[in-house]
Amino acid sequence: MYALSSQKKYWTFKTEQELAELRLAQNVRFIAKHGAGMTEEQKLAHFLSADEERQLLKQYESHMKEFCKKFEPPMPKYVVGTAFHYFKRFYLNNSAMDYHPKEILATCIYLACKVEEFNVSIAQFVANTKGDRVKAMDIILSNELLLMQELNYYLTIHNPMRPIEGFLIDIKTRCNMKNPDRLRPWIEDFIDKTFLTDVPLMYAPSQIALAAVLHAASKEQENLDSYVTESLFGSAKDKLPVLIEAVRRVRSLVNNTKLPTKELFRFLDKKLEKCRNQENNPDSQIYKQRMKKMYEDEDDLDAMGSSFHMNVSDASLEVSQLNTTNPANMTLD
């Protein structure tokens, strides 16, 4: 249940201001760490501001939506929703300058496929990407544990798709609307647009679902006001004002979403390439040296483990031989 979920307890926020403050804190932290010795003017010119990061992430969310839309085999909407939750949560705890969005978004989608049991192998997954697929595979797998850690291992996501189905069944039962299924295209379009907003981080799945259904009904020149006030909340009208405000706010956020222009995105993307943390850049020498050292350390541990098992085996053999030749050495503890 959403009401008792980690999503509601840890990952649902009250206001946009709260989210903006979290993102600003990550931006300030990164610049303080990597901009030591720079003047304020130099920092402004070199690093992304919190607002620039937000604009950049919005565009990458748009890329993410298109990737999921074109994915083969076709990706269920609830998997897409889960991936977006992961992506949005990750960048509440991290700066885009620390971990590049194009690398994290692929990992979010891959992890969502696994969690939601949409069974695709890593080879099938990277077959949907362009460029060096071996490199893409390495990046996704190397970021998977990091992503889970940054999500605090809260991986279960409650999406609005199930409440939407519930509303449509209920409308068929308790409304006079003809063919409620004609609302589906409008509903899907609305849900797609929520992925480009902070709506999933602020509202319950049922509130988002109802906003989508009411939006679709208005597009089809249908009025569901009496259904909401009488059928849904006839016996709990004290809760109606809160719901109406939530639905109004969700629809407003969706309708007012704007992506950066192509020119602005290209400018910000180039700026990101210059100011990103090179320790987390798979193309940098620092990253390659760090990974090489990590693999060497793992090889050393494996070698130590093999040596340990060999010594234990040898010792067991010696004890066995000793006990066979001299049974008096056997003891009962």
Side-chain angles (χ1 to χ4, degrees):
M1 290 178 60
Y2 170 77
L4 302 175
S5 67
S6 60
Q7 181 173 333
K8 184 178 188 301
K9 186 174 182 180
Y10 301 111
W11 294 104
T12 301
F13 303 87
K14 293 181 179 180
T15 64
E16 291 176 272
Q17 181 62 31
E18 190 176 356
L19 295 171
E21 289 172 359
L22 288 171
R23 290 166 179 146
L24 178 61
Q26 297 306 323
N27 180 267
V28 169
R29 179 189 61 79
F30 182 89
I31 294 174
K33 180 179 179 181
H34 296 273
M38 289 186 180
T39 65
E40 290 304 313
E41 291 76 11
Q42 288 173 328
K43 290 178 182 178
L44 189 62
H46 183 68
F47 296 108
L48 295 171
S49 67
D51 182 63
E52 287 175 331
E53 280 197 64
R54 187 75 193 108
Q55 291 298 313
L56 191 70
L57 288 172
K58 278 186 179 181
Q59 187 60 49
Y60 274 106
E61 286 176 344
S62 179
H63 294 339
M64 188 173 175
K65 182 165 73 76
E66 289 304 310
F67 177 83
C68 293
K69 186 177 180 180
K70 297 175 182 178
F71 194 88
E72 289 294 337
M75 187 178 292
K77 192 71 71 177
Y78 60 86
V79 179
V80 180
T82 295
F84 269 94
H85 269 274
Y86 291 168
F87 187 79
K88 292 175 185 294
R89 291 180 182 186
F90 183 88
Y91 285 108
L92 291 179
N93 292 330
N94 295 279
S95 167
M97 293 181 285
D98 223 351
Y99 299 98
H100 201 295
K102 70 182 177 185
E103 294 158 9
I104 296 301
L105 74 82
T107 309
C108 289
I109 299 168
Y110 180 65
L111 181 60
C113 291
K114 294 172 73 173
V115 170
E116 297 290 357
E117 298 183 349
F118 176 55
N119 296 316
V120 292
S121 67
I122 185 64
Q124 285 177 295
F125 187 90
V126 298
N128 286 271
T129 64
K130 297 178 181 178
D132 189 338
R133 290 171 178 171
V134 173
K135 180 180 177 182
M137 188 184 300
D138 288 342
I139 290 172
I140 290 168
L141 295 178
S142 65
N143 283 330
E144 190 175 11
L145 180 58
L146 166 71
L147 175 60
M148 289 191 288
Q149 289 172 337
E150 292 302 316
L151 299 175
N152 293 325
Y153 298 96
Y154 295 126
L155 304 181
T156 300
I157 301 296
H158 296 265
N159 285 296
M161 291 70 184
R162 185 171 293 177
I164 285 169
E165 294 304 319
F167 282 129
L168 290 176
I169 292 171
D170 197 43
I171 289 169
K172 290 176 184 178
T173 305
R174 297 199 283 175
C175 276
N176 295 323
M177 183 189 296
K178 293 181 180 179
N179 187 23
D181 283 328
R182 61 194 164 95
L183 302 180
R184 288 186 182 277
W186 294 109
I187 290 172
E188 289 187 11
D189 180 67
F190 187 90
I191 293 299
D192 283 346
K193 289 177 179 176
T194 66
F195 295 152
L196 306 180
T197 72
D198 284 331
V199 164
L201 295 173
M202 297 171 61
Y203 295 96
S206 58
Q207 292 173 329
I208 300 171
L210 184 57
V213 170
L214 294 178
H215 166 81
S218 68
K219 291 294 185 180
E220 287 290 328
Q221 308 300 314
E222 295 283 355
N223 191 318
L224 291 175
D225 289 352
S226 61
Y227 166 72
V228 174
T229 57
E230 301 301 327
S231 298
L232 289 182
F233 289 91
S235 60
K237 290 192 175 180
D238 56 312
K239 297 180 180 179
L240 197 55
V242 174
L243 176 72
I244 291 173
E245 176 57 24
V247 169
R248 185 197 68 78
R249 187 61 185 147
V250 169
R251 294 180 69 178
S252 175
L253 287 170
V254 168
N255 292 333
N256 292 317
T257 299
K258 292 182 180 179
L259 295 175
T261 63
K262 291 181 180 179
E263 292 74 18
L264 178 58
F265 172 68
R266 281 195 290 266
F267 169 76
L268 295 177
D269 210 33
K270 287 180 180 178
K271 192 174 181 181
L272 176 60
E273 287 299 331
K274 294 177 181 177
C275 68
R276 69 178 296 190
N277 185 354
Q278 293 303 310
E279 290 185 4
N280 297 324
N281 180 1
D283 294 325
S284 72
Q285 287 302 314
I286 297 174
Y287 178 91
K288 291 174 182 177
Q289 289 170 3
R290 181 165 62 85
M291 295 302 291
K292 181 182 177 183
K293 185 178 186 304
M294 183 179 74
Y295 290 137
E296 288 175 349
D297 290 345
E298 287 180 356
D299 289 342
D300 290 343
L301 287 172
D302 288 343
M304 289 175 63
S306 298
S307 175
F308 173 76
H309 292 306
M310 186 180 297
N311 290 338
V312 169
S313 176
D314 292 345
S316 299
L317 178 62
E318 290 170 3
V319 170
S320 175
Q321 290 174 337
L322 180 63
N323 289 340
T324 300
T325 57
N326 187 2
N329 286 334
M330 296 180 63
T331 60
L332 296 174
D333 293 329

